[in-house]
Amino acid sequence: MRNSGSKSKNVSLNQIAIIFSVDLDEADFCKTCSDHIRKRNVPNLAANYGFRYPEQPSCLSELNDLEERLVALRISFMQIRELGRDRQYGIKGSVTNVPNDLHKSVDCLPRNVNDSATIYVKLKKRLFFKSHFMYQSVNPNRFYNATFYLMNKPLYQSQNVNIDLEWLEKFRTESFPEGSNAFADLNPISSEENDEHDYDDPFVNPAPAETVINKLNTNIDAGLALAPGEDQMPLSVLFDDLAEELSYPRIYCGDMRRFTRKKPPTYSEIVKSELRRYDRRGDTPQKIWYSHQKNLHKLLLSSIQTCLRNKIPTDSSLTAQQVQDQQCLHQLFYKN
């Protein structure tokens, strides 16, 4: 074994065999892990403790940034901009964690499309906003395949999300002529019962001018405007325990992070492990700045201490009535 630091130091294979169950003839470790191995201890950030990503299926690896946000149960709104001449990315403001209503995306995206068809989608915070948060082409077929996969994962099932995707399963089993762009009808209606002037059901998207399936036109005014988190109350990233796993399904694949180390890892150790891993799926600017903001808020929250001197001139106890008295509070502030 070689140390990847400036000075190369050899470690005997017997020491490696005590920690690792696999046979290694030669390997490179960082200085921190090498120090633990020499002491015959498992490194604190070892993959054996759960510091690893789950296996990524193809239906999630092929998603782009906007498709990932549409299938996620949390949408993280943050302003990431290019700064300076070197065009490095920086964040402005904080992270807004908004629950995502998958029903809106499933109901609005077209279903009668083939595997290669795309639609331009504008993701907004609110539909009446003129500006959009993201604008990108979306493949509805990739979106539905990823949604179908995630709905069978325990993490999504724990959030009580129920979406009927039976039509997608039937669409996969149906056979259509080559070049056909039709979709399977689960409830076929005869021509006598189907009235073309029957408008009892409300329109899913009442603005047809913004809905277009287009492969060539890249006009910024064209596209489907979606705001799946418009009516949802934002949640704090500090108290939403599964916000990170629900915001990035392409990274965590709908699984919860579980660690088997006796001492629970801190959030700083988790972020440090994700940045050092051989699998680089989590080293995107959005994920790095999200982790930075969350870690910053955690450090700030742990440093806040509220101290109140529990003593007044007449009595050693402090009652609720005295706290409501402005004069009593003024005396406490004056003495403290």
Side-chain angles (χ1 to χ4, degrees):
M1 187 197 75
R2 296 195 306 268
N3 187 343
S4 60
S6 58
K7 296 182 180 180
S8 178
K9 297 181 180 180
N10 295 326
V11 179
S12 63
L13 296 178
N14 294 331
Q15 293 176 327
I16 300 177
I18 296 175
I19 300 174
F20 300 96
S21 59
V22 296
D23 296 333
L24 296 176
D25 295 334
E26 185 176 348
D28 294 333
F29 296 93
C30 64
K31 183 179 182 303
T32 304
C33 294
S34 300
D35 295 339
H36 285 84
I37 294 173
R38 290 192 184 91
K39 298 177 182 179
R40 298 188 178 185
N41 297 327
V42 180
N44 292 331
L45 304 181
N48 192 30
Y49 284 144
F51 293 93
R52 66 177 68 183
Y53 291 127
E55 185 177 355
Q56 189 180 45
S58 59
C59 62
L60 295 180
S61 61
E62 59 188 9
L63 296 177
N64 57 31
D65 294 339
L66 182 52
E67 292 169 351
E68 181 185 16
R69 279 170 169 77
L70 292 179
V71 300
L73 294 182
R74 299 288 188 273
I75 300 179
S76 55
F77 292 100
M78 47 187 167
Q79 298 184 27
I80 298 179
R81 302 177 180 179
E82 294 181 349
L83 306 176
R85 293 185 177 181
D86 51 0
R87 316 307 294 174
Q88 293 187 4
Y89 290 102
I91 187 171
K92 181 179 180 181
S94 184
V95 178
T96 305
N97 181 38
V98 180
N100 181 20
D101 189 1
L102 279 179
H103 293 84
K104 293 184 179 180
S105 301
V106 172
D107 294 340
C108 293
L109 288 178
R111 302 183 182 182
N112 56 336
V113 293
N114 51 35
D115 295 343
S116 60
T118 59
I119 178 174
Y120 290 101
V121 175
K122 293 182 288 186
L123 180 62
K124 297 183 177 182
K125 295 182 178 180
R126 294 181 180 272
L127 284 177
F128 62 85
F129 285 175
K130 293 183 179 180
S131 61
H132 54 268
F133 176 69
M134 292 185 67
Y135 179 78
Q136 200 171 3
S137 61
V138 172
N139 188 322
N141 185 67
R142 292 201 301 257
F143 167 79
Y144 289 123
N145 290 335
T147 304
F148 185 81
Y149 173 81
L150 292 172
M151 289 303 300
N152 297 322
K153 302 295 290 185
L155 179 61
Y156 273 59
Q157 293 176 357
S158 64
Q159 301 299 313
N160 299 325
V161 180
N162 297 321
I163 297 179
D164 186 12
L165 295 177
E166 184 181 356
W167 62 269
L168 179 60
E169 186 65 24
K170 188 173 182 179
F171 181 81
R172 292 174 175 175
T173 58
E174 290 288 338
S175 60
F176 300 98
E178 185 176 358
S180 175
N181 202 24
F183 65 96
D185 189 3
L186 296 178
N187 298 315
I189 303 176
S190 61
S191 59
E192 297 178 357
E193 298 177 354
N194 187 11
D195 186 3
E196 61 180 358
H197 300 290
D198 188 9
Y199 301 114
D200 292 337
D201 296 332
F203 289 102
V204 176
N205 183 14
E210 291 188 344
T211 305
V212 57
I213 298 179
N214 194 350
K215 296 183 180 180
L216 299 176
N217 184 16
T218 58
N219 186 9
I220 196 67
D221 295 332
L224 174 65
L226 289 178
E230 182 175 8
D231 299 330
Q232 303 294 330
M233 180 67 67
L235 303 176
S236 174
V237 294
L238 296 177
F239 305 106
D240 191 3
D241 298 333
L242 301 176
E244 202 159 357
E245 292 90 332
L246 296 175
S247 299
Y248 298 95
R250 189 170 52 178
I251 298 177
Y252 302 103
C253 304
D255 293 333
M256 292 180 288
R257 292 180 294 192
R258 302 182 184 276
F259 304 100
T260 59
R261 203 175 69 179
K262 291 184 179 180
K263 181 181 179 181
T266 62
Y267 185 74
S268 300
E269 291 179 330
I270 297 175
V271 175
K272 187 186 300 183
S273 171
E274 292 180 349
L275 294 177
R276 293 178 177 179
R277 294 177 189 177
Y278 179 80
D279 191 348
R280 313 304 295 174
R281 74 177 79 168
D283 289 350
T284 60
Q286 294 81 6
K287 180 61 173 63
I288 293 176
W289 282 115
Y290 181 94
S291 301
H292 169 74
Q293 289 292 319
K294 184 176 180 179
N295 187 41
L296 186 65
H297 283 76
K298 282 183 172 293
L299 294 177
L300 181 62
L301 181 63
S302 61
S303 301
I304 296 177
Q305 295 181 357
T306 304
C307 298
L308 178 63
R309 180 173 296 178
N310 188 8
K311 186 176 181 181
I312 57 177
T314 58
D315 193 1
S316 59
S317 61
L318 188 65
T319 62
Q321 183 179 3
Q322 293 171 343
V323 173
Q324 296 177 356
D325 188 2
Q326 295 294 333
Q327 185 177 1
C328 181
L329 288 178
H330 180 73
Q331 294 178 358
L332 286 175
F333 296 152
Y334 180 78
K335 293 182 63 66
N336 192 359

